[in-house]
Amino acid sequence: MSVQTEGTDTAGEPAVRKAGPPAPPRGESRTAKTPAGRRAAAAPYLLLLPALVATVVLLGWPLVKNGILSFQNLNPRQLIQHLTEWNGVDNYKEILSGSDFWSVVGRSVVFTAVNVVLIMVGGTLIGLLLARLGKKMRLLLMVGIVLAWAMPVIAATTVYQWLFAQRFGVVNWVLDKLGWHSMADYNWFSSQFSTFFVIILLIVWQSVPFVAINLYAATTTIPRELYEAAALDGAGAWKSFTSVTLPFLRPFLYATTFLEVIWVFKSFAQIFALNEGGPDHLTETLPIYAYVEGVGNQHFGVGAAISFLTILVLLVITSYYLRMVLKQEEDEL
């Protein structure tokens, strides 16, 4: 009687198929189930945890407190007596129904737009100039703009107050010597236009170095071979800029414009230190308006509501640029 087997090996013994461990599902790493794998997967979140905690404590909690105050009638009497008087949305109704708030919003938007355009144009031109200068001249120019950038805001504002002083200002003295004798005792802070001129000049002077240095750093990442290829195709300086330089710098320009909009819109120290939003409140932007109404007039609930609305206006302004930056990042992935 013969016995039939499914298969034998070369020695004539039955072949035994040893079943190994089941293969992990597709897309799942074997190391993810080990303690070391779980620690590696959690490492990025642990590294982000200190920044998240600091953001919540330093920014999130004050924002929540500010939102709570905006629904209260908080004046010196309530502070002294430790009273909490809720008035719902009355603060917001008072602000939004008044003409002053909308005038300040329009002024803030125009002020931000003018500053950002001048900063980006000036910073771009200086950054491209840095890329074309020799080492010695580039170092000299970079030292000068870094010193301007490093100067504290209040110190720089004080210098501009001295430069544009009515009686002993350097600007009036130079204009008088050049033949504009009517400018010898001109008060630069007596009108809205001239005050804004000084403020814009100060903010642009402080902001251009950031844009210029970062743009110069971005130009160093452009491969030289692309310029050589463009030259072989007969492209001139302008064609090389639009076809080679500008595409590489476009993500930088989007991100920098986004940052400059935020920085200019929330400018406070320069405007307040120069003329406290004067004359006649004509140079008040939203941050100054919130401070004057809240702290200056001691209507803290109204000031909190204005500051909360300021954040909303800033989000609306930056939403377009933020969308472009996020789209650029998605295209690069």
Side-chain angles (χ1 to χ4, degrees), residues 73-93:
N73 180 27
L74 186 60
N75 294 319
R77 182 178 69 86
Q78 286 78 11
L79 285 176
I80 295 173
Q81 298 180 2
H82 301 283
L83 296 176
T84 301
E85 295 183 5
W86 298 94
N87 60 357
V89 294
D90 289 347
N91 291 333
Y92 290 96
K93 288 181 179 178

Side-chain angles (χ1 to χ4, degrees), residues 152-170:
V153 174
I154 297 300
T157 305
T158 304
V159 171
Y160 269 71
Q161 284 179 317
W162 171 66
L163 288 174
F164 289 91
Q166 181 176 2
R167 294 187 61 187
F168 304 107
V170 175

Side-chain angles (χ1 to χ4, degrees), residues 70 89-105 286 289-290 293-294 299-310:
S70 67
V89 294
D90 289 347
N91 291 333
Y92 290 96
K93 288 181 179 178
E94 178 183 348
I95 296 166
L96 296 175
S97 62
S99 60
D100 292 342
F101 173 76
W102 297 109
S103 298
V104 175
V105 169
L286 278 172
Y289 183 59
E293 291 295 326
H299 297 159
F300 302 105
V302 175
I306 296 172
S307 62
F308 207 80
L309 291 172
T310 300

Side-chain angles (χ1 to χ4, degrees), residues 154-282:
I154 297 300
T157 305
T158 304
V159 171
Y160 269 71
Q161 284 179 317
W162 171 66
L163 288 174
F164 289 91
Q166 181 176 2
R167 294 187 61 187
F168 304 107
V170 175
V171 174
N172 287 352
W173 180 81
V174 171
L175 292 176
D176 180 42
K177 295 299 181 182
L178 292 176
W180 286 285
H181 303 296
S182 60
M183 302 295 294
D185 294 319
Y186 182 73
N187 184 5
W188 288 89
F189 306 108
S190 61
S191 67
Q192 180 186 31
F193 179 80
S194 59
T195 303
F196 264 134
F197 173 80
V198 178
I199 295 171
I200 291 172
L201 189 64
L202 170 60
I203 292 178
V204 170
W205 178 76
Q206 290 179 314
S207 305
V208 160
F210 171 77
V211 179
I213 293 174
N214 283 277
L215 189 141
Y216 165 68
T219 58
T220 60
T221 64
I222 304 176
R224 298 291 101 185
E225 294 82 2
L226 296 179
Y227 289 106
E228 295 174 359
L232 291 175
D233 291 339
W238 176 251
K239 187 64 176 178
S240 297
F241 174 76
T242 56
S243 60
V244 179
T245 306
L246 188 58
F248 271 87
L249 297 183
R250 188 175 287 113
F252 159 81
L253 293 174
Y254 285 158
T256 308
T257 302
F258 176 73
L259 294 175
E260 289 298 331
V261 168
I262 296 175
W263 193 83
V264 172
F265 189 85
K266 67 183 184 66
S267 297
F268 176 85
Q270 300 93 328
I271 303 173
F272 191 81
L274 272 176
N275 206 20
E276 298 184 1
D280 298 328
H281 306 283
L282 292 177

